[in-house]
């Protein structure tokens, strides 16, 4: 028991909470305490969960949720060798975030899930959330930006689960064959789920590889890497000639593409999504004229091409 009757681990946690966000200069103290006292990780995780629930009860205290999630991720990053000591609390956090109606909390939950998976989350722990991500990936919210964000988060979570567990046979056996939504007769196969998301993003926007190849070999009057005279509807519902749009070259299962797309949607930037097929880890030949490295994501805007997700996000 610490000074004033409060345990030291609670004081170390409480000092993280500022009026508008996390006290960044106190994060290192929090991490150091966790590293030096692994026996307190269970109590720290339980206490952070309590602060999350306090924040959910009062809309004026949402900062409690945001700071608590950051603190959980700091623990995952720094104490992953002792992850088993507080994994149960991470799982409870994920259940809260991913099942909440708020798209912002679902986004925080997805980021935390990916981090948890990358730092040693066990397959049986990760498997609990597959259905949540499938539901998000099939979201049909009437608000298009919300629908897009749900689907991006859902696909990102599924991709993280598959790449982290590296057990594709088990995944196919449990989830690819058939998933029954809400225990009804409405069966959803995972492959059509992925295809549906590809079509959602490319039906009105993407030119064919042949069109791109022909446009790149035509006269210099066409300056876009995949110019098209078609009209396309953007995230804000407006209609603009595609020559004036930001072109976003991506792949539906690429987490680096997801990061950029989420930022584009959050900033309400009108864009044209061009899905790049990476069969055998190689794109179509025409795409090398956009990005000589053949990697995604890439962005074309104002006669410039950005080919690194961090550079793209910094530009945006």
């Amino acid at each position: 028991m610490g000074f004033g009757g409060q345990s030291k681990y609670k004081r170390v946690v409480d000092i993280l909470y500022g009026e508008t966000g996390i006290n960044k200069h106190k994060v290192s103290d929090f991490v150091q305490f966790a590293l030096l006292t692994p026996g307190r990780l269970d109590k720290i995780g339980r206490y952070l969960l309590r602060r999350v629930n306090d924040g959910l009860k009062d809309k004026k205290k949402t900062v409690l949720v945001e700071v608590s999630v950051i603190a959980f991720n700091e623990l995952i990053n720094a104490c992953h060798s002792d992850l088993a000591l507080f994994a149960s609390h991470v799982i409870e956090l994920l259940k809260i975030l991913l099942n909440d109606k708020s798209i912002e909390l679902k986004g925080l939950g997805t980021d935390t899930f990916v981090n948890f998976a990358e730092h040693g989350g066990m397959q049986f722990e990760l498997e609990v959330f597959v259905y949540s991500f499938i539901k998000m990936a099939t979201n049909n919210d009437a608000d298009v930006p919300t629908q897009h964000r749900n689907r991006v988060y859902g696909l990102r979570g599924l991709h993280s689960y598959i790449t982290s567990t590296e057990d594709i046979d088990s995944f196919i056996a449990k989830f690819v064959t058939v998933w029954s939504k809400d225990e009804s007769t409405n069966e959803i196969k995972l492959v059509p789920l992925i295809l549906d998301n590809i079509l959602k993003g490319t039906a009105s926007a993407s030119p064919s590889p042949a069109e791109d190849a022909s446009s790149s070999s035509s006269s210099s009057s066409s300056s876009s890497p995949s110019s098209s005279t078609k009209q396309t509807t953007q995230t804000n519902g407006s209609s603009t000639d595609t020559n004036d749009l930001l072109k976003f070259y991506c792949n539906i299962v690429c987490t680096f593409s997801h990061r950029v797309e989420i930022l584009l949607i959050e900033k309400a930037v009108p864009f044209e999504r061009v899905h790049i097929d990476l069969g055998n880890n190689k794109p179509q030949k025409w795409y090398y004229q956009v990005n000589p490295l053949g990697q995604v994501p890439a962005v074309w805007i104002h006669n410039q091409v950005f080919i690194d997700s961090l550079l793209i996000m910094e530009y945006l």
Side-chain angles (χ1 to χ4, degrees):
M1 190 71 67
F3 178 78
Q6 187 183 40
S7 299
K8 184 175 181 179
Y9 76 87
K10 290 184 178 180
R11 297 202 309 274
V12 172
V13 171
D14 287 342
I15 204 168
L16 292 173
Y17 298 88
E19 292 185 4
T20 59
I22 194 165
N23 289 322
K24 295 181 180 180
H25 62 287
K26 295 297 181 181
V27 172
S28 59
D29 293 339
F30 168 72
V31 170
Q32 184 177 22
F33 178 80
L35 287 169
L36 294 176
T37 58
R40 294 287 186 269
L41 287 172
D42 175 63
K43 291 184 177 180
I44 291 173
R46 185 180 293 111
Y47 189 56
L48 285 171
L49 270 181
R50 197 173 96 184
R51 302 307 300 270
V52 169
N53 287 313
D54 289 343
L56 291 174
K57 291 176 184 177
D58 188 344
K59 292 183 179 180
K60 295 181 180 179
K61 297 181 178 179
T62 55
V63 67
L64 293 179
V65 179
E66 297 170 0
V67 173
S68 298
V69 172
I70 294 173
F72 262 114
N73 279 279
E74 291 290 343
L75 285 183
I76 294 171
N77 293 336
C79 306
H80 52 85
S81 60
D82 293 312
L83 189 58
L85 298 177
F86 61 98
S88 62
H89 303 305
V90 177
I91 292 170
E92 288 304 311
L93 173 71
L94 290 172
K95 288 179 180 178
I96 292 171
L97 298 177
L98 295 176
N99 291 321
D100 198 271
K101 294 181 180 180
S102 166
I103 188 63
E104 284 74 22
L105 293 188
K106 287 182 179 179
L108 290 175
T110 302
D111 289 340
T112 303
F113 175 87
V114 172
N115 196 26
F116 182 54
E118 291 177 348
H119 285 85
M122 302 296 288
Q123 182 168 343
F124 74 90
E125 296 170 330
L126 303 175
E127 193 173 284
V128 174
F129 303 101
V130 171
Y131 289 131
S132 295
F133 288 123
I134 290 177
K135 288 180 180 179
M136 291 164 65
T138 56
N139 180 276
N140 285 309
D141 195 289
D143 181 65
V144 175
T146 299
Q147 180 191 120
H148 283 179
R149 289 178 69 182
N150 267 290
R151 288 181 171 235
V152 168
Y153 293 146
L155 290 171
R156 186 178 178 215
L158 291 174
H159 178 262
S160 178
Y161 172 81
I162 294 171
T163 55
S164 297
T165 60
E166 297 183 346
D167 186 3
I168 194 66
D169 292 334
S170 175
F171 180 76
I172 291 173
K174 292 183 179 180
F175 303 109
V176 173
T177 305
V178 167
W179 172 62
S180 181
K181 186 176 182 181
D182 298 327
E183 299 180 351
S184 68
T185 57
N186 181 23
E187 295 179 341
I188 299 177
K189 293 180 182 294
L190 192 64
V191 171
L193 179 156
I194 300 296
L195 292 176
D196 178 55
N197 277 281
I198 293 174
L199 291 174
K200 281 277 184 179
T202 60
S204 64
S206 300
S208 67
E211 289 175 320
D212 275 295
S214 63
S215 66
S216 63
S217 62
S218 62
S219 66
S220 59
S221 61
S222 178
S223 58
S224 163
S226 58
S227 297
S228 171
T229 58
K230 296 179 181 179
Q231 300 287 312
T232 181
T233 301
Q234 302 309 311
T235 56
N236 60 3
S238 63
S239 184
T240 311
D241 190 289
T242 57
N243 287 325
D244 299 325
L245 294 173
L246 179 150
K247 288 184 181 291
F248 174 48
Y249 298 87
C250 60
N251 182 277
I252 202 71
V253 296
C254 171
T255 56
F256 297 105
S257 294
H258 297 166
R259 295 174 186 175
V260 174
E261 180 160 8
I262 290 169
L263 187 60
L264 286 168
I265 293 171
E266 288 181 343
K267 289 185 172 292
V269 177
F271 68 95
E272 176 183 347
R273 185 189 293 102
V274 183
H275 177 75
I276 303 300
D277 184 3
L278 296 175
N280 296 320
N281 293 320
K282 293 183 179 180
Q284 302 95 318
K285 291 183 179 179
W286 63 264
Y287 182 62
Y288 286 99
Q289 298 174 35
V290 178
N291 182 357
L293 298 177
Q295 299 172 346
V296 292
V299 158
W300 177 89
I301 185 69
H302 302 316
N303 294 324
Q304 297 183 76
V305 176
F306 298 86
I307 60 174
D308 179 87
S309 62
L310 293 178
L311 291 177
I312 295 170
M313 295 174 73
E314 183 178 350
Y315 171 80
L316 296 173

